[in-house]
Amino acid sequence: MSGPTAMALGPYAFEAIGFGYDGMSRKVQTPWAEVKVAQTLDQMQWVGPTSEEVSIKGVLFPAQNGGQSSLDGIIAAANAGQVLMLVSGDATLGTIHGRFTIQSVDEDKSFFTAYGEARRNSYTITLKRYGQNDSGGGSTGGILSPILNLFG
């Protein structure tokens, strides 16, 4: 490892030096449906959450600090259709965000060496939450269910 780990996507740790990130955004869809009502305004009915997307943005300097192999590993996991756990923080104040699918990875390589290696590679990883009972807080569903069933 090249430094403290601030976040991990499955086995791929985002570190202070090397495979780092500089931004994270989240989009949660919780739509309401309009219900037609005679002689008054349409009523609204909440239909529940439908999706959650997370985007992780960063810049690698692979020629100096490495990190390209981790990004290539995430691309390989996406191509294999793997579902990965997203975790942030440390051992005492860590947060389990849940399981996510990799929807896309965008790369923008520039400033190449004489050997064709990019000196700079900015990237965006787009994730989407996997499964219904995978809130990461308070639920014993998802990955723990088979283990808990052994003791229940």
Side-chain angles (χ1 to χ4, degrees):
M1 291 199 178
S2 299
T5 301
M7 184 169 57
L9 179 60
Y12 307 101
F14 294 85
E15 302 167 336
I17 299 173
F19 185 53
Y21 70 102
D22 57 21
M24 183 174 171
S25 62
R26 180 177 170 205
K27 180 179 180 180
V28 178
Q29 297 283 342
T30 58
W32 289 71
E34 286 190 29
V35 179
K36 299 287 184 190
V37 178
Q39 299 181 355
T40 187
L41 296 174
D42 292 346
Q43 296 298 304
M44 301 295 291
Q45 179 180 355
W46 184 62
V47 295
T50 58
S51 68
E52 178 181 356
E53 291 186 10
V54 173
S55 292
I56 302 167
K57 298 176 183 181
V59 178
L60 302 177
F61 299 96
Q64 294 80 20
N65 300 325
Q68 186 64 45
S69 61
S70 293
L71 186 59
D72 290 341
I74 289 174
I75 292 169
N79 287 330
Q82 293 181 346
V83 179
L84 300 174
M85 184 72 69
L86 180 64
V87 180
S88 65
D90 60 15
T92 55
L93 297 173
T95 302
I96 298 172
H97 297 282
R99 298 183 304 157
F100 286 81
T101 60
I102 303 165
Q103 297 295 303
S104 65
V105 178
D106 298 326
E107 292 183 278
D108 186 11
K109 296 180 179 183
S110 57
F111 303 106
F112 293 90
T113 67
Y115 302 105
E117 183 181 11
R119 293 184 190 275
R120 183 180 189 277
N121 183 4
S122 62
Y123 68 88
T124 301
I125 302 168
T126 304
L127 309 172
K128 194 168 194 177
R129 182 175 292 283
Y130 177 78
Q132 311 175 274
N133 298 325
D134 192 31
S135 64
S139 172
T140 58
I143 200 164
L144 291 178
S145 292
I147 296 168
L148 294 176
N149 288 338
L150 293 173
F151 301 103

